[in-house]
Amino acid sequence: FIAVARSHWGTPLADRLTARTLLMLKDLGHDRATTAVRASNAASIALHKRFHAEATGDMVQLAKPVDPPMTA
């Protein structure tokens, strides 16, 4: 999961993080990566297109709340 703080939107940070991550995966012997992108996230879709990603399906969001952490 890669996310960029709103204060860095519009900068090359996401591209740099993606490129670095893909290089690290390649160095580890992987030939592909799987990501999930919301259909409403135009910036992320554009980023993936810049890296020649191919859509292979639809993202399904679960509407289950996360359990709160246990307290002592």
Side-chain angles (χ1 to χ4, degrees):
F1 179 74
I2 297 174
V4 175
R6 187 177 298 252
S7 60
H8 293 283
W9 289 5
T11 71
L13 182 59
D15 288 80
R16 291 177 183 163
L17 289 169
T18 301
R20 182 75 166 150
T21 299
L22 292 173
L23 285 173
M24 288 178 5
L25 288 169
K26 184 177 180 182
D27 288 346
L28 291 170
H30 299 282
D31 64 351
R32 65 184 63 231
T34 301
T35 66
V37 179
R38 289 185 181 160
S40 62
N41 191 337
S44 185
I45 292 169
L47 170 83
H48 283 73
K49 286 181 179 180
R50 287 194 297 277
F51 283 88
H52 308 287
E54 298 177 15
T56 59
D58 294 324
M59 180 178 160
V60 176
Q61 264 188 296
L62 298 177
K64 180 180 181 233
V66 176
D67 293 332
M70 300 281 293
T71 56

